[in-house]
Amino acid sequence: MNRDESTKNRVLLAAGPIFARKGFAQATVREICDAANVNLASINYYFGDKQRLYIETVILAREQRAEQFPFPSWSDETLPEVKLKEFVGLMLRRVVVMQTVPWQVGLLMREILKPTEACQQLVEEYFRPIFERLLRIVDELVDRPLTTLQRTQIGFSIIGQCLHYRFSAGVISMMVEEKRRQEYFDLENLTNHITEFSIAAIRNLHDIEAAQAETTAVSARETDK
Amino acid sequence: MNRDESTKNRVLLAAGPIFARKGFAQATVREICDAANVNLASINYYFGDKQRLYIETVILAREQRAEQFPFPSWSDETLPEVKLKEFVGLMLRRVVVMQTVPWQVGLLMREILKPTEACQQLVEEYFRPIFERLLRIVDELVDRPLTTLQRTQIGFSIIGQCLHYRFSAGVISMMVEEKRRQEYFDLENLTNHITEFSIAAIRNLHDIEAAQAETTAVSARETDK
DNA sequence: CTCTCGATTAAACAGTTGTTTAATACGACT
DNA sequence: AGTCGTATTAAACAACTGTTTAATCGAGAG
């Protein structure tokens, strides 16, 4: 029998999307076996129990995590503004559009929200390189050296704007009028806004810091009285 | 009998932390009743079913959270910059707490990540008023009228920066060096950065939009060749 | 006292869960 | 043919779920 269509493999492939969608506890072995068109006992026969099936599924997800949206290779002359825009567009494409998110990413995201020890490796191999790449773009956008804290915070501000459209997608949908919902999740609109917002912030940050110190003083005076 | 110690109230208070920790499906009525030291049938007697107990718990969480960190009342002369800073600080205080997450916050975050029936009411009575308040501050910060889409996107950019430190707290902790972790979650540092970043962005957004149009053209030309 | 009625209780219920069992089917080998 | 070992099956299992039931309690009213 072809290995790809073996009972064990069918279970593994069917389990992935279901675990990704519903989580470990909410996914049922009956649902998985139905989807895989195998007998109910197959999971225990091949994997021992549900838990070990889940672990094998996570491992498979890691292995199969194909670089579906690879980073473009930029020439030396590419403007940092262009780089940032493409970076933001890439982030949004990877995480925002729920429908097209492959189940492998969904499963890993699930692990990330509730970090375990296995998550550490994921951070090092997946998130940190992405983040470092972003920070290098930020460096190009400013004309002065930044402290480690500053550039990290700027990075989180940009990432935060992107991820918000995934984590809070449900609430955002409820908050905007249904008629224009598509507009708010439109990839190009989002990319343009987040890019422009962030560039505007980075460019203007230097001037603001000084002014803000004054504002803080005003705020303090108001609190006093 | 004291109202606070009534059976119904004991159930409500016991349910909050359990729902927050385990989610709706994973929390069991027996566990809640045990914690509240009441009979198993009490939930159905007082609340009808588990679901309605959950909804009442979410409502309670929202009320208690808003009570603990109320909005300041601003005078007419208060600078919008000050307002934004206090808004951001309030958001962060309500949402971002490093070590121990109060169960009220945990429950609200659960609703954002995976909205249930309780969420619609939560949006209308809690999130939307907060968001509208933010948008009015944004209006004061710009000197020109914004489209609905623009001001909403700006609002999401600010909220997204704040919430990122809750949803991605685990990953952020893993990404920054442990020695300086406290620094990255320091309330004042965060408040200052997000406020300054957002003000800088809003102030500069107008100029950037024009420049970005040119950049887009450059990007297109680069893609062509 | 008795009566009443909401509050509380233990028990039972019906449904679902993951897992196990025992029987059977199937193919490879002698 | 018969034998062996693996794969697959339907059924049963025990534990747990939310909910319902019917009995009991307990305090206030007549």
Side-chain angles (χ1 to χ4, degrees):
Chain A
M1 181 181 289
N2 190 343
R3 190 187 176 282
D4 287 347
E5 288 175 3
S6 72
T7 301
K8 181 171 180 177
N9 225 263
R10 289 220 309 283
V11 172
L12 210 49
L13 294 182
I18 295 174
F19 277 135
R21 194 168 60 250
K22 315 181 75 170
F24 173 75
Q26 287 305 307
T28 73
V29 292
R30 280 172 176 80
E31 184 183 7
I32 293 171
C33 289
D34 276 1
N37 258 312
V38 302
N39 184 268
L40 174 61
S42 300
I43 288 181
N44 302 88
Y45 182 79
Y46 283 106
F47 299 93
D49 56 18
K50 183 188 177 186
Q51 169 97 19
R52 261 172 292 180
L53 166 62
Y54 178 75
I55 293 175
E56 293 230 21
T57 310
V58 174
I59 293 173
L60 180 68
R62 270 185 47 106
E63 290 172 351
Q64 286 194 354
R65 193 194 58 206
E67 288 286 333
Q68 189 167 349
F69 301 105
F71 272 103
S73 53
W74 292 308
S75 70
D76 290 346
E77 307 95 46
T78 307
L79 292 175
E81 288 84 354
V82 175
K83 291 182 185 173
L84 183 63
K85 182 174 178 178
E86 292 181 359
F87 179 92
V88 168
L90 193 63
M91 282 302 296
L92 291 174
R93 248 171 292 147
R94 278 191 181 170
V95 300
V96 164
V97 196
M98 283 286 273
Q99 282 82 355
T100 64
V101 167
W103 65 265
Q104 290 93 341
V105 175
L107 200 58
L108 297 179
M109 282 272 177
R110 203 170 263 285
E111 288 290 305
I112 287 157
L113 275 179
K114 205 174 65 179
T116 65
E117 73 229 23
C119 192
Q120 181 69 48
Q121 191 182 359
L122 194 68
V123 167
E124 296 304 332
E125 293 181 5
Y126 195 57
F127 283 94
R128 192 183 297 283
I130 292 175
F131 194 65
E132 292 297 336
R133 193 179 276 255
L134 170 62
L135 293 191
R136 261 175 277 136
I137 299 175
V138 171
D139 288 334
E140 290 185 55
L141 280 168
V142 297
D143 48 1
R144 66 190 193 287
L146 297 172
T147 69
T148 306
L149 181 62
Q150 275 179 319
R151 59 198 293 273
T152 307
Q153 282 179 332
I154 291 174
F156 286 150
S157 280
I158 296 171
I159 297 287
Q161 290 179 74
C162 296
L163 294 189
H164 185 244
Y165 283 89
R166 177 189 172 88
F167 289 139
S168 310
V171 174
I172 291 177
S173 292
M174 290 182 183
M175 290 200 53
V176 302
E177 27 175 354
E178 189 174 351
K179 211 183 60 184
R180 304 185 61 187
R181 189 166 300 166
Q182 206 61 34
E183 206 175 334
Y184 283 95
F185 282 96
D186 178 75
L187 189 64
E188 199 177 327
N189 276 350
L190 283 184
T191 306
N192 284 335
H193 164 71
I194 294 177
T195 306
E196 288 164 13
F197 189 90
S198 302
I199 290 178
I202 293 169
R203 281 282 156 70
N204 216 17
L205 207 49
H206 185 252
D207 304 330
I208 294 293
E209 278 166 14
Q212 195 69 15
E214 169 62 16
T215 304
T216 304
V218 172
S219 177
R221 277 202 300 278
E222 286 205 352
T223 310
D224 284 347
K225 68 183 177 188
Chain B
M1 182 182 287
N2 191 341
R3 189 187 177 282
D4 287 347
E5 288 175 3
S6 71
T7 301
K8 181 171 180 177
N9 225 264
R10 288 219 310 282
V11 172
L12 207 51
L13 294 182
I18 295 175
F19 277 135
R21 193 168 61 250
K22 316 181 76 172
F24 174 76
Q26 286 304 303
T28 74
V29 293
R30 281 172 176 80
E31 185 183 6
I32 293 170
C33 289
D34 275 1
N37 259 311
V38 301
N39 185 267
L40 174 61
S42 300
I43 288 180
N44 301 87
Y45 183 79
Y46 282 105
F47 298 93
D49 57 18
K50 183 188 177 187
Q51 168 107 356
R52 261 171 293 180
L53 165 63
Y54 177 76
I55 293 177
E56 294 230 22
T57 311
V58 172
I59 293 173
L60 181 67
R62 179 238 301 164
E63 287 172 353
Q64 291 191 356
R65 209 58 198 155
E67 271 178 31
Q68 194 165 352
F69 300 103
F71 271 102
S73 52
W74 293 308
S75 70
D76 290 347
E77 307 94 49
T78 307
L79 291 176
E81 288 84 353
V82 176
K83 290 182 187 175
L84 182 63
K85 182 175 179 178
E86 290 179 2
F87 179 94
V88 169
L90 190 64
M91 278 289 101
L92 291 174
R93 247 170 294 146
R94 278 190 185 174
V95 155
V96 180
V97 232
M98 195 34 183
Q99 263 100 353
T100 60
V101 179
W103 67 265
Q104 293 93 338
V105 175
L107 209 50
L108 296 184
M109 291 305 117
R110 264 182 195 284
E111 280 297 315
I112 292 178
L113 282 177
K114 199 179 143 203
T116 70
E117 280 183 33
C119 197
Q120 184 65 53
Q121 191 185 357
L122 197 63
V123 166
E124 295 307 327
E125 296 182 9
Y126 189 59
F127 293 137
R128 192 184 297 283
I130 292 174
F131 194 64
E132 291 298 333
R133 195 181 274 256
L134 170 62
L135 293 191
R136 261 174 277 135
I137 299 175
V138 170
D139 287 334
E140 290 185 56
L141 281 168
V142 296
D143 50 1
R144 66 189 194 287
L146 297 170
T147 68
T148 306
L149 181 62
Q150 276 179 319
R151 60 200 291 272
T152 307
Q153 283 179 331
I154 291 174
F156 286 149
S157 280
I158 298 171
I159 296 288
Q161 290 179 73
C162 297
L163 294 190
H164 184 244
Y165 285 88
R166 156 83 4 251
F167 290 134
S168 309
V171 177
I172 291 177
S173 293
M174 290 182 183
M175 291 202 46
V176 302
E177 30 177 351
E178 189 172 353
K179 212 183 61 186
R180 304 185 61 190
R181 191 166 298 168
Q182 206 62 34
E183 205 176 335
Y184 283 95
F185 282 95
D186 178 74
L187 189 64
E188 199 177 326
N189 275 351
L190 283 184
T191 305
N192 283 335
H193 163 72
I194 294 178
T195 306
E196 288 165 15
F197 189 89
S198 301
I199 289 178
I202 293 170
R203 281 280 156 70
N204 216 18
L205 205 49
H206 187 256
D207 301 332
I208 294 296
E209 279 167 13
Q212 196 67 14
E214 170 61 18
T215 304
T216 303
V218 171
S219 176
R221 276 201 300 276
E222 287 205 353
T223 310
D224 282 349
K225 67 182 176 188

